[in-house]
């Protein structure tokens, strides 16, 4: 049973380009969470998705950021027109059900905007 | 807004020492408190606590939750250099999103 898979591990984008980050949850997990970690900061919640539904996007900036978790395929976090301040590590976590349940994290995608 | 505060922010100890890491939380519709270990990559799950006063133990690590005082501690006995990491505490609320503290950086010197 593979863990949470994220790709790419490292992504470099120029200002104004688009970044697409992918997350495949653990087998049997239908809940996906995206978190952002800035240097010297804790993990900040961005968005919570179930298959084909966004449940809570209260932590995601209103502009340029979007997320989806289609019926087939990985969850995608998309950042349009990236700026230097978007440089961070983006982690995805999955859990099997809502309620008290362990969330398992992927290795993260380190986005660098140059 | 939900909030999790960890202390101390950093800690340096010698191998063999015992350490206690603190975590206080204010989480609406609180459900559980989780501890993770992060070593420059993905946070690794350690414990999930849902009930007060019941200690969870895994080897040299143990943790307990106090839902009345809204805090948790993580103890590590007989520390080893491999315990050096950032320890993250997170509280979950109604939709199970994790609200993290800033983490505690533990350095264990040989």
């Amino acid at each position: 049973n593979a863990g949470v898979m994220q790709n790419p591990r490292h992504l470099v984008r120029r200002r104004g380009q688009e970044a697409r980050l992918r997350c495949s949850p653990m087998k049997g997990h239908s809940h996906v969470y995206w978190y952002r970690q800035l240097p010297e900061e804790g993990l900040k919640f961005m968005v919570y998705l179930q298959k084909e539904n966004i449940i809570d996007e209260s932590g995601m900036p209103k502009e340029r950021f979007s997320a989806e978790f289609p019926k087939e395929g990985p969850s995608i976090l998309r950042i349009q027109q990236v700026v230097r301040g978007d440089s961070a590590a983006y982690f995805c976590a999955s859990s099997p059900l809502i309620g008290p349940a362990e969330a398992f994290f992927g290795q993260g995608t380190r986005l660098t905007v140059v | 807004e939900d909030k999790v505060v960890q202390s101390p922010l950093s800690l340096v100890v010698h191998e063999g020492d015992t350490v206690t890491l603190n975590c206080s939380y204010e989480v609406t519709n609180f459900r559980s408190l989780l501890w993770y270990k992060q070593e420059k990559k993905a946070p690794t799950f350690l414990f999930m606590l849902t009930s007060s006063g019941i200690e969870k133990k895994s080897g040299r690590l143990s943790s307990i939750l106090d839902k009345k005082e809204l805090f948790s501690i993580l103890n590590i006995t007989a520390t080893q250099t491999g315990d050096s990491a950032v320890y993250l505490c997170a509280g979950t609320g109604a939709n199970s999103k994790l609200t993290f503290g800033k983490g505690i950086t533990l350095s264990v010197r040989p």
Side-chain angles (χ1 to χ4, degrees):
Chain A
N1 186 8
V4 179
M5 304 298 292
Q6 288 189 249
N7 67 82
R9 293 289 306 278
H10 300 275
L11 183 62
V12 179
R13 284 288 178 265
R14 294 186 185 280
R15 280 178 294 173
Q17 290 185 318
E18 178 180 288
R20 279 182 176 240
L21 288 61
R22 294 175 187 77
C23 168
S24 296
M26 286 180 73
K27 189 176 179 181
H29 287 197
S30 58
H31 300 254
V32 166
Y33 303 81
W34 284 94
Y35 291 83
R36 176 164 64 177
Q37 188 172 38
L38 295 166
E40 309 302 323
E41 293 282 328
L43 288 151
K44 299 288 187 191
F45 168 78
M46 297 183 74
V47 62
Y48 162 38
L49 309 109
Q50 292 179 34
K51 283 284 186 182
E52 301 184 275
N53 286 305
I54 296 175
I55 307 302
D56 182 345
E57 56 183 348
S58 59
M60 201 153 67
K62 295 280 186 285
E63 296 179 358
R64 302 188 299 107
F65 285 72
S66 62
E68 63 177 12
F69 189 14
K71 189 177 179 182
E72 301 291 337
S75 175
I76 306 284
L77 179 67
R78 183 177 172 215
I79 312 172
Q80 296 177 289
Q81 298 174 309
V82 295
V83 301
R84 287 244 170 91
D86 297 332
S87 296
Y90 291 83
F91 288 96
C92 164
S94 72
S95 69
L97 43 77
I98 196 164
E102 304 95 78
F104 294 92
F105 281 81
Q107 296 288 314
T109 294
R110 184 160 298 279
L111 172 66
T112 303
V113 180
V114 297
Chain B
E1 189 178 318
D2 294 344
K3 188 168 68 172
V4 173
V5 178
Q6 294 186 249
S7 65
L9 288 182
S10 64
L11 198 52
V12 180
V13 300
H14 287 99
E15 272 193 314
D17 288 350
T18 294
V19 297
T20 298
L21 310 181
N22 302 299
C23 173
S24 64
Y25 64 90
E26 295 174 26
V27 174
T28 305
N29 297 319
F30 173 81
R31 291 193 174 203
S32 59
L33 192 290
L34 290 86
W35 284 95
Y36 289 85
K37 179 182 181 183
Q38 188 175 26
E39 300 170 271
K40 293 185 180 177
K41 48 184 181 182
T44 304
F45 172 80
L46 294 175
F47 295 111
M48 183 176 74
L49 304 152
T50 55
S51 301
S52 263
I54 299 173
E55 185 183 56
K56 292 220 172 174
K57 203 168 168 61
S58 176
R60 296 177 294 102
L61 277 66
S62 64
S63 185
I64 198 160
L65 176 68
D66 185 329
K67 288 168 81 170
K68 184 179 175 188
E69 300 297 330
L70 306 183
F71 80 88
S72 173
I73 60 171
L74 175 68
N75 279 318
I76 309 174
T77 59
T79 51
Q80 302 170 357
T81 54
D83 295 327
S84 296
V86 176
Y87 289 84
L88 299 166
C89 164
T92 69
N95 67 1
S96 291
K97 79 178 188 189
L98 295 160
T99 300
F100 281 90
K102 289 193 175 182
I104 297 171
T105 301
L106 174 64
S107 299
V108 181
R109 300 282 162 82

